């Protein structure tokens, strides 16, 4: 098993700026850099268990498969305030990777959210906890606990490469990931787009 140290947290200033922008404007910021191979946008199926959920934080990654949540348990107690657990579950649909028990534990240790490339369960319980959980759907069959997987290695989640330390932002539109090395320039481009939209809306309202 690869269990690497947690990455440095994204600078608080960047977190607050990203919180004001959201995943859509950050996706515009990524697009403005001209990288057609990676615009940071996870697949459309990656949505919150409840639309009001908002998540901003630093990626702490988990690599697993076949509905096995043993490494997710390990990662839950390895993280803390400022991190988003990003789980590469290979889109597995036959078992849930987690439910409200892991969600409550993640909330207790200070995680900012969970993104799971696969299914979760206990939807009502997760909603009651009010903790941001993003997944590709729901499955009532429980997980297995067998293989150690890996923690804090590069993964592919929702069709996007995610490196520990990347900026992860989600809301009802979906999830956008900004590579840690490009955060300042992406924020700048996204803020430019936000200013443009303010002017554009004011123009529209005049008609």
């Amino acid at each position: 098993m690869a269990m690497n140290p947690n990455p440095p947290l994204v600078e608080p200033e960047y977190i607050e700026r990203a919180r004001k922008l959201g995943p859509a404007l950050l996706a515009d910021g990524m697009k403005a850099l001209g990288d057609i191979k990676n615009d940071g946008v996870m697949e459309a199926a990656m949505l919150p268990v409840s639309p009001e959920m908002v998540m901003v934080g630093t990626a702490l990654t988990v690599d697993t498969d076949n509905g096995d949540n043993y490494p997710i348990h390990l990662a839950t107690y390895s993280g803390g305030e400022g991190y988003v657990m990003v789980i590469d579950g290979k889109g597995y649909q036959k078992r849930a990777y987690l439910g409200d028990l892991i969600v409550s534990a993640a909330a207790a240790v200070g995680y900012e959210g969970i993104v799971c490339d696969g299914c979760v369960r206990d939807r009502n319980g997760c909603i009651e906890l009010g903790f941001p959980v993003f997944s590709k759907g729901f499955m009532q069959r429980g997980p297995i606990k067998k293989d150690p997987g890996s923690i804090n290695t590069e993964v592919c989640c929702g069709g996007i490469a995610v490196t520990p330390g990347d900026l992860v932002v989600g809301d009802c539109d979906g999830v956008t990931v900004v590579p840690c090395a490009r955060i300042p320039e992406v924020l700048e481009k996204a803020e430019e787009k936000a200013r443009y939209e303010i002017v554009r809306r004011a123009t529209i309202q005049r008609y």
Side-chain angles (χ1 to χ4, degrees), residues 10 15 42 47 64 66 68 83 90 94 97 110 117 147 203:
V10 173
I15 292 291
M42 286 195 182
L47 292 171
T64 187
N66 298 317
D68 193 326
Y83 289 106
K90 316 298 186 295
K94 295 182 179 180
Y97 278 107
D117 194 335
D147 295 320
T203 301

Side-chain angles (χ1 to χ4, degrees), residues 37-119:
K37 293 182 179 179
N38 180 15
D39 64 0
V41 176
M42 286 195 182
E43 295 164 349
M46 191 70 76
L47 292 171
V49 300
S50 187
E52 74 279 0
M53 292 179 171
V54 176
M55 166 189 72
V56 182
T58 303
L60 185 157
T61 65
V62 180
D63 190 12
T64 187
D65 201 354
N66 298 317
D68 193 326
N69 78 351
Y70 179 53
I72 297 171
H73 276 280
L74 295 177
T76 298
Y77 296 102
S78 301
E81 185 175 351
Y83 289 106
V84 170
M85 190 189 307
V86 179
I87 303 166
D88 178 1
K90 316 298 186 295
Y92 192 74
Q93 298 286 304
K94 295 182 179 180
R95 292 182 182 274
Y97 278 107
L98 58 97
D100 57 5
L101 291 179
I102 285 182
V103 170
S104 61
V109 301
Y111 271 101
E112 307 297 328
I114 295 174
V115 183
C116 181
D117 194 335
C119 291

Side-chain angles (χ1 to χ4, degrees), residues 190-205:
E191 287 163 347
E192 286 179 8
K193 181 65 183 300
R195 291 190 290 269
Y196 163 80
E197 290 189 355
I198 290 171
V199 173
R200 181 64 178 155
R201 288 190 183 97
T203 301
I204 292 170
Q205 289 173 0

Side-chain angles (χ1 to χ4, degrees), residues 4 11 37 48 61 63 79-80 98 102 117 126 153 170 172 174 182 186 189:
N4 297 312
E11 292 287 340
K37 293 182 179 179
T61 65
D63 190 12
L98 58 97
I102 285 182
D117 194 335
C126 292
T153 59
C172 59
R182 309 194 78 176
V186 170
K189 292 295 186 181

Side-chain angles (χ1 to χ4, degrees), residues 17-18 20-43 160 167-171 173-179 182-183 185-194 197:
R17 289 167 66 185
K20 294 175 183 177
L21 294 164
L25 281 169
L26 287 170
D28 291 340
M30 289 283 287
K31 180 181 177 182
L33 298 181
D35 187 349
I36 62 173
K37 293 182 179 179
N38 180 15
D39 64 0
V41 176
M42 286 195 182
E43 295 164 349
I160 292 296
L167 174 64
V168 184
V169 181
D171 66 14
D173 281 341
V175 178
T176 299
V177 178
V178 180
R182 309 194 78 176
I183 292 171
E185 55 185 331
V186 170
L187 287 172
E188 183 177 340
K189 292 295 186 181
E191 287 163 347
E192 286 179 8
K193 181 65 183 300
E197 290 189 355

